Amino acid sequence: MKYNFGAGPCILPQEVFKQAAQAVLEFDHTGLSILEISHRTPEFEAVVAETERLVRTLLNVPEGYSVIFLQGGASLQFSMVPMNLLGDGKKAAYTDTGVWANKAIKEAKLFGEINVLASSKGANYTFIPKDYEIPKDAAYFHCTSNNTIYGTEMHQFPKSPIPVVCDMSSDIFSREVNVADFDLIYAGAQKNMGPAGVTLVIVKDEILGKIDRKIPSMLDYKIHIEGESMYFLFMYRC
Amino acid sequence: MKYNFGAGPCILPQEVFKQAAQAVLEFDHTGLSILEISHRTPEFEAVVAETERLVRTLLNVPEGYSVIFLQGGASLQFSMVPMNLLGDGKKAAYTDTGVWANKAIKEAKLFGEINVLASSKGANYTFIPKDYEIPKDAAYFHCTSNNTIYGTEMHQFPKSPIPVVCDMSSDIFSREVNVADFDLIYAGAQKNMGPAGVTLVIVKDEILGKIDRKIPSMLDYKIHIEGESMYFLFMYRC
């Protein structure tokens, strides 16, 4: 028996590995591997539906929020967030609290003006700045709830007059959060949820569709939501 | 025993399922599941290296081409191809030979002018048009080698004065192709290679980096190549 102390990919329960291995051999009495069945089979749809139900239950996700599963990790969210929420000529507000927050800022700059409200970079990210005001005229405020490398975590979230986007990759499901305080939460699965390869996005529907930019279908939250998160699956399985 | 006649996800050998299931339980005598080891372990790096070596050997990939493994399916390639190859104000040439070719055209239009050289849409895609000339002044020519829904396949590829991009999702590895005749080949894994979830891209290095557009890191072929296809893995596993 070996113990895995890596921050990610995370350790998973043995029972999960046993069920996953069984599903690779034969899934749910279908006579087929889960790797070769269609995403439109009732058995596979049940997996996706149960996963969504678990997310909604565990996080107590309110009405009006969609839960979708995407590829590309939190890193693709660094681009999808501004692509979907930051109109041309608009600005967004970010805090710079670690290497991942900094990458999010770098990627967002391709889409508009990024107002870095506060940064602890000069102190090697040893603390989370709290002394800033979120501007009312920005499209959204982006923060990173936990910074594994530096051992810092946001214990409370600022009141915001604009939509709040939060990268919770490294502390999601480790504590209670009030989802209603956020407009978009994203998290790569590999730290706190499961193996690498899927990204969870929880988004308040009403913040979408408000900018004019034409968005590639695979990078458009609305298209994934309308497809019940199956657009992606459909696209790459069919 | 059930037989799976679906076009995709494809049937896979039982031996593959056995090896995959074993790797989920314990991978390569590491004492850990493949789902929880770092992508930087020698054991996992060996999996990626062997996969690349198999692609290079089976397709006889010439020098000067990179082989990378991405997420997002062929559908994300519909956007990544023009994002990386079609400069602002430039045009690209496409043939419209089926529903997937048509989607590729639709996505490419977000990035520039798309010149549809020929289409069999009016005949419900029952044939592959051959009577067209590839313009010298387009950035690239895009074609779809096989159209499963209609049972049509390109038996030969036109001589092209410009880079050739081909979606080979549904016939890759089913016949010999001369990779040197192409500049970028892409294929979702789920029809002819393995389970859904990974996309193979083979690209001639010299066609990249020739446009001015700023490309999100996760959608930039050069960044994936420089990371030996590990950028993606790194980003979503760490």
Side-chain angles (χ1 to χ4, degrees):
Chain A
M1 183 69 186
K2 285 194 183 177
Y3 291 91
N4 176 3
F5 293 106
C10 61
I11 194 165
L12 293 168
Q14 286 297 314
E15 186 56 28
V16 169
F17 295 135
K18 283 180 192 159
Q19 282 187 34
Q22 177 56 44
V24 168
L25 293 173
E26 189 201 344
F27 178 58
D28 198 17
H29 310 291
T30 55
L32 295 166
S33 168
I34 195 169
L35 300 182
E36 60 180 343
I37 61 171
S38 165
H39 62 288
R40 288 290 181 205
T41 54
E43 293 86 356
F44 191 84
E45 284 184 342
V47 174
V48 179
E50 187 193 357
T51 310
E52 179 180 338
R53 186 183 57 71
L54 282 168
V55 170
R56 288 189 180 274
T57 304
L58 290 169
L59 287 178
N60 200 13
V61 177
E63 288 287 308
Y65 284 74
S66 293
V67 172
I68 50 178
F69 303 102
L70 305 178
Q71 287 192 310
S75 293
L76 188 55
Q77 295 309 306
F78 297 167
S79 300
M80 277 181 70
V81 164
M83 198 181 286
N84 282 267
L85 301 179
L86 184 55
D88 288 330
K90 303 288 181 182
K91 69 176 178 183
Y94 279 65
T95 48
D96 177 20
T97 58
V99 63
W100 298 104
N102 197 269
K103 283 182 199 286
I105 290 166
K106 182 187 152 222
E107 298 294 333
K109 283 181 176 171
L110 300 192
F111 298 92
E113 183 191 339
I114 302 305
N115 188 351
V116 180
L117 302 182
S119 173
S120 51
K121 189 174 182 180
N124 195 29
Y125 296 123
T126 45
F127 69 97
I128 290 181
K130 289 174 189 160
D131 191 20
Y132 56 86
E133 196 169 339
I134 299 173
K136 289 196 180 87
D137 61 344
Y140 62 87
F141 167 67
H142 180 283
C143 58
T144 309
S145 58
N146 187 66
N147 310 279
T148 310
I149 302 171
Y150 321 96
T152 61
E153 185 175 44
M154 292 176 78
H155 296 301
Q156 54 191 29
F157 295 89
K159 292 280 174 206
S160 174
I162 56 174
V164 175
V165 176
C166 187
D167 176 0
M168 293 193 185
S169 293
S170 61
D171 68 352
I172 196 163
F173 295 121
S174 72
R175 56 174 172 169
E176 282 186 34
V177 291
N178 184 11
V179 173
D181 289 344
F182 303 87
D183 298 83
L184 193 151
I185 292 167
Y186 63 87
Q190 72 281 5
K191 287 209 166 191
N192 282 29
M193 289 185 271
V198 69
T199 309
L200 169 65
V201 174
I202 303 168
V203 57
K204 194 172 190 174
D205 298 326
E206 69 180 38
I207 69 165
L208 300 176
K210 295 197 168 169
I211 64 168
D212 290 329
R213 180 181 296 115
K214 288 181 181 172
I215 303 168
S217 300
M218 289 295 280
L219 305 170
D220 187 336
Y221 293 123
K222 282 176 75 76
I223 287 180
H224 289 285
I225 291 167
E226 284 156 16
E228 290 173 341
S229 217
M230 283 299 195
Y231 183 83
F232 221 119
L233 294 166
F234 175 74
M235 286 304 179
Y236 70 81
R237 289 183 81 105
C238 277
Chain B
M1 184 70 187
K2 285 195 184 177
Y3 291 92
N4 176 3
F5 293 106
C10 61
I11 193 165
L12 292 167
Q14 286 297 315
E15 186 56 28
V16 169
F17 295 135
K18 283 181 193 160
Q19 283 187 33
Q22 177 55 44
V24 168
L25 294 172
E26 189 203 345
F27 178 58
D28 197 18
H29 310 291
T30 55
L32 295 167
S33 168
I34 195 169
L35 299 182
E36 61 178 342
I37 61 171
S38 163
H39 62 288
R40 288 290 181 206
T41 53
E43 294 85 358
F44 191 83
E45 284 184 341
V47 173
V48 178
E50 187 193 359
T51 310
E52 179 180 339
R53 185 183 56 72
L54 283 169
V55 170
R56 287 189 180 275
T57 304
L58 290 169
L59 288 177
N60 200 14
V61 177
E63 288 288 307
Y65 284 74
S66 292
V67 172
I68 51 179
F69 303 102
L70 305 177
Q71 285 192 312
S75 293
L76 188 55
Q77 295 308 306
F78 297 166
S79 299
M80 278 181 70
V81 164
M83 197 181 285
N84 282 267
L85 302 179
L86 184 56
D88 287 331
K90 303 288 182 182
K91 67 176 178 181
Y94 279 65
T95 48
D96 177 19
T97 58
V99 64
W100 299 103
N102 198 269
K103 283 182 200 286
I105 290 166
K106 182 188 154 221
E107 298 295 333
K109 283 181 176 171
L110 300 191
F111 298 93
E113 182 191 339
I114 301 305
N115 188 352
V116 180
L117 302 182
S119 173
S120 51
K121 190 175 182 181
N124 195 29
Y125 296 125
T126 45
F127 69 98
I128 290 181
K130 289 174 188 161
D131 192 21
Y132 55 86
E133 196 169 340
I134 299 172
K136 289 196 179 89
D137 61 343
Y140 62 86
F141 166 68
H142 180 284
C143 58
T144 309
S145 58
N146 187 66
N147 309 280
T148 310
I149 303 171
Y150 319 96
T152 61
E153 185 175 43
M154 293 177 78
H155 296 300
Q156 55 190 28
F157 294 90
K159 290 285 174 203
S160 174
I162 56 174
V164 175
V165 176
C166 187
D167 176 359
M168 293 192 186
S169 292
S170 61
D171 67 351
I172 196 164
F173 294 122
S174 72
R175 56 174 172 169
E176 283 187 33
V177 290
N178 184 13
V179 173
D181 290 343
F182 302 87
D183 297 83
L184 193 152
I185 292 167
Y186 63 88
Q190 73 282 4
K191 288 208 165 193
N192 283 29
M193 288 184 272
V198 68
T199 309
L200 169 66
V201 174
I202 303 169
V203 57
K204 194 171 189 175
D205 298 327
E206 68 179 37
I207 70 166
L208 300 175
K210 295 198 168 167
I211 65 168
D212 290 330
R213 180 181 296 115
K214 287 181 182 173
I215 304 168
S217 299
M218 288 295 279
L219 304 171
D220 187 335
Y221 293 123
K222 281 176 75 77
I223 287 180
H224 288 284
I225 291 167
E226 285 157 14
E228 291 173 341
S229 217
M230 283 298 196
Y231 183 83
F232 221 118
L233 294 166
F234 175 72
M235 286 301 178
Y236 70 81
R237 290 184 80 105
C238 276

